[in-house]
Amino acid sequence: MTNLPREKRARLILNTDAKNEADDQFTIVHALLTPTFDFHGIIAAHFGDHRSKTAMEDSRKEIDHLLDLMDLSGRIPVANGAATALPDEQTPVPSPGAQMIIDEAMKDDDRPLYVAFLGPLTDMASALLMEPKLNERNVICVWIGGGTWPSGGREFNLMNDIASANVVMRSKIQVWQIPSTVYRMMSVSYAELQERCEDKGPIGKYLVDQLIDWNLRVHKGPIEHRSLGDTPSLSVILNPMGGTYEWRPAPEFSPHMHYVHTGQHRPIKVYDSIDIRYILEDFYAKLARFHRGVQDLANFG
């Protein structure tokens, strides 16, 4: 599949708070192993200052480590995103990551640009504030974030930059939202990961080890699972009809992270479910093929 024609490839930038916990790593690897993607870059994102005062830098180190383990260092552009949330809804936090989004979105290409956000929307909002012409471009922002519809409430990715979410929701770009009610259903067990990933070379072992280590260090009480909650961001691009969704007027967010339904903004696509079997099996199969030496990778921009 490596020689897919251009029109059969999806343009992708991945924005990831990779060292926030233990699931972004699986999504990064999955994207790298997906030949349907014209993969134009990875952006290291912050994850607030609750867990680290150097969150964005921690994410960058984790991205670089994953690429090293896969012997892909230097093959794909990696840019640093904003180190902090927006100070308000009018002021961007310029960064190489936000500029990467602008540069790619402004290219003369008739295909949509998917920008998948696994954490806060800081870099998408900054890009929109830096270059308002993005509102006229074919950009699809896929966001893992936001609480239960229609009320909302506390949710980690939203919590780390509420202002940026309001900027994006008020914009004109397409938004595909995957709220917590969907991404929390992506649980995998230790036994499943040990059987399907652990023996798949250095990258497979690292993915499993770091997930278990995270739970041991951070989670309180007995546990034998983790949600690979960022993986749906790839599923909805690869298999848009593999789930249920509705187009709903874009909300805004209150300081307490509740949805504010003004009815004034263009519709966004809100997923209510995805095909979990499809996307997990796709990951396991691609990891196994990579371990066997099949270089069916994304096309790196």
Side-chain angles (χ1 to χ4, degrees), residues 70-92:
M70 298 178 73
D71 198 26
L72 293 176
S73 294
R75 295 278 300 276
I76 182 168
V78 181
N80 289 347
T84 65
L86 299 189
D88 54 57
E89 295 175 8
Q90 292 76 43
T91 308

Side-chain angles (χ1 to χ4, degrees), residues 27 30 37 142 144 176 178 186 230-243 271 273-280 282:
T27 305
H30 196 164
F37 290 144
V142 182
I144 301 288
W176 295 1
I178 302 161
M186 295 295 301
D230 291 324
T231 301
S233 64
L234 306 183
S235 182
V236 299
I237 300 172
L238 295 170
N239 186 17
M241 301 304 293
Y271 275 86
S273 69
I274 67 155
D275 187 339
I276 297 171
R277 187 217 66 83
Y278 157 74
I279 199 61
L280 288 179
D282 185 64

Side-chain angles (χ1 to χ4, degrees), residues 122-280:
T122 308
D123 297 317
M124 188 72 252
S126 292
L128 285 161
L129 292 168
M130 292 162 63
E131 179 48 89
K133 290 181 181 178
L134 291 188
N135 285 289
E136 304 164 14
R137 307 299 292 178
N138 194 359
V139 176
I140 299 176
C141 171
V142 182
W143 182 40
I144 301 288
T148 304
W149 272 76
S151 57
R154 180 183 172 89
E155 191 275 327
F156 188 81
N157 290 340
L158 173 60
M159 175 180 71
N160 286 323
D161 197 345
I162 298 171
S164 72
N166 280 329
V167 170
V168 173
M169 290 300 174
R170 292 172 186 147
S171 74
K172 295 180 181 179
I173 65 170
Q174 275 200 59
V175 174
W176 295 1
Q177 183 193 5
I178 302 161
S180 60
T181 42
V182 177
Y183 71 67
R184 287 176 180 166
M185 295 297 103
M186 295 295 301
S187 291
V188 292
S189 71
Y190 290 176
E192 179 180 359
L193 293 177
Q194 287 163 337
E195 287 296 311
R196 305 297 296 274
C197 301
E198 192 172 44
D199 63 349
K200 301 303 186 292
I203 189 61
K205 186 175 189 307
Y206 178 73
L207 289 175
V208 178
D209 287 350
Q210 61 88 32
L211 183 145
I212 294 174
D213 175 69
W214 166 265
N215 277 353
L216 291 174
R217 288 186 295 106
V218 178
H219 189 83
K220 296 178 180 179
I223 188 169
E224 259 192 44
H225 75 278
R226 193 84 197 157
S227 174
L228 300 187
D230 291 324
T231 301
S233 64
L234 306 183
S235 182
V236 299
I237 300 172
L238 295 170
N239 186 17
M241 301 304 293
T244 58
Y245 62 84
E246 290 184 353
W247 289 93
R248 301 169 184 167
E252 297 178 13
F253 296 97
S254 77
H256 296 292
M257 292 176 275
H258 293 293
Y259 294 111
V260 179
H261 300 286
T262 68
Q264 297 177 355
H265 308 303
R266 50 74 182 94
I268 64 169
K269 182 190 283 190
V270 182
Y271 275 86
D272 298 308
S273 69
I274 67 155
D275 187 339
I276 297 171
R277 187 217 66 83
Y278 157 74
I279 199 61
L280 288 179

